[in-house]
Amino acid sequence: MSHPRFFGYGSLVNRATHEYPSVRPLRVKGWARAWRHTGLRDVAFLTAVRDPQSEIEGLSADVPNADWAALDEREFAYDRVPLVDHANTVIYEIPAGKHTAASATHPILLSYLDVVVQGYLTEFGEAGAMRFFDTTQGWDAPILNDRAAPIYPRHQTLRADEISFVDQALVTLDCTILKR
């Protein structure tokens, strides 16, 4: 019998943020990503949103012994939802109606975005990282530059080329960067 699996589409794509086994790339249809805010967190974060026209890449990994406690704690603001086209695999989403757009009061953390993009660069190369930007909604949200003193608890150190890649993508998207 196989282990249950999860599909990660944000920070879970960065293997440095977890130790889940049997990690492999996965593409799921009918989903996109969006920057959202809930009352459960002070800042915006990614959620999967249902979108029949979209397809997103990420990583799938085993949840040994079906022990969801640690992952559910990490993903506490989300509901765990079975993926229809991928047996025994779940995706985490914030249910519709329980999230709002990111804002200056609840911005995207650059340290969080850096972790996500570093994961996509490692797993899928520059083309895959660009697909991350293309299949994510909400880039009109402000981004708080917290690189000098990261707020995101699983922040990682990026190489100069990774920082440059993120910064150039944000310029291309005409994102608003807030100074801390």
Side-chain angles (χ1 to χ4, degrees):
M1 184 168 135
S2 65
H3 290 287
R5 298 182 66 80
F6 69 86
F7 173 71
Y9 52 84
S11 63
L12 286 164
V13 173
N14 191 322
R15 294 182 197 218
T17 72
H18 64 86
E19 296 181 2
Y20 288 97
S22 302
V23 177
R24 62 180 177 253
L26 183 64
R27 184 179 293 234
V28 297
K29 294 180 181 182
W31 294 89
R33 282 177 225 82
W35 291 106
R36 292 293 188 260
H37 169 258
T38 75
L40 298 174
R41 295 188 179 177
D42 291 335
V43 295
F45 52 102
L46 289 168
T47 187
V49 291
R50 294 164 198 265
D51 180 349
Q53 309 310 312
S54 194
E55 178 176 87
I56 57 176
E57 293 170 306
L59 293 184
S60 175
D62 282 350
V63 180
N65 302 315
D67 183 2
W68 292 97
L71 191 57
D72 284 348
E73 182 178 328
R74 175 180 171 147
E75 307 298 323
F76 72 91
Y78 301 88
D79 286 355
R80 193 174 356 125
V81 178
L83 282 171
V84 175
D85 296 337
H86 301 278
N88 218 25
T89 303
V90 303
I91 190 169
Y92 282 89
E93 74 167 330
I94 305 168
K98 292 189 177 181
H99 55 83
T100 60
S103 66
T105 308
H106 308 290
I108 299 165
L109 294 178
L110 188 53
S111 60
Y112 174 53
L113 176 59
D114 282 346
V115 165
V116 174
V117 176
Q118 183 183 52
Y120 276 89
L121 286 167
T122 300
E123 300 295 333
F124 301 102
E126 287 190 8
M130 286 311 301
R131 285 190 301 275
F132 160 79
F133 283 104
D134 292 343
T135 58
T136 301
Q137 304 163 6
W139 293 111
D140 55 337
I143 299 169
L144 179 64
N145 185 348
D146 66 330
R147 277 184 180 146
I151 296 169
Y152 182 61
R154 288 176 286 281
H155 66 89
Q156 303 293 312
T157 302
L158 273 66
R159 298 184 320 261
D161 62 312
E162 293 170 328
I163 290 171
S164 177
F165 182 89
V166 172
D167 291 350
Q168 183 55 51
L170 296 178
V171 167
T172 300
L173 290 166
D174 196 27
C175 292
T176 301
I177 308 296
L178 305 173
K179 296 196 186 288
R180 185 164 184 215

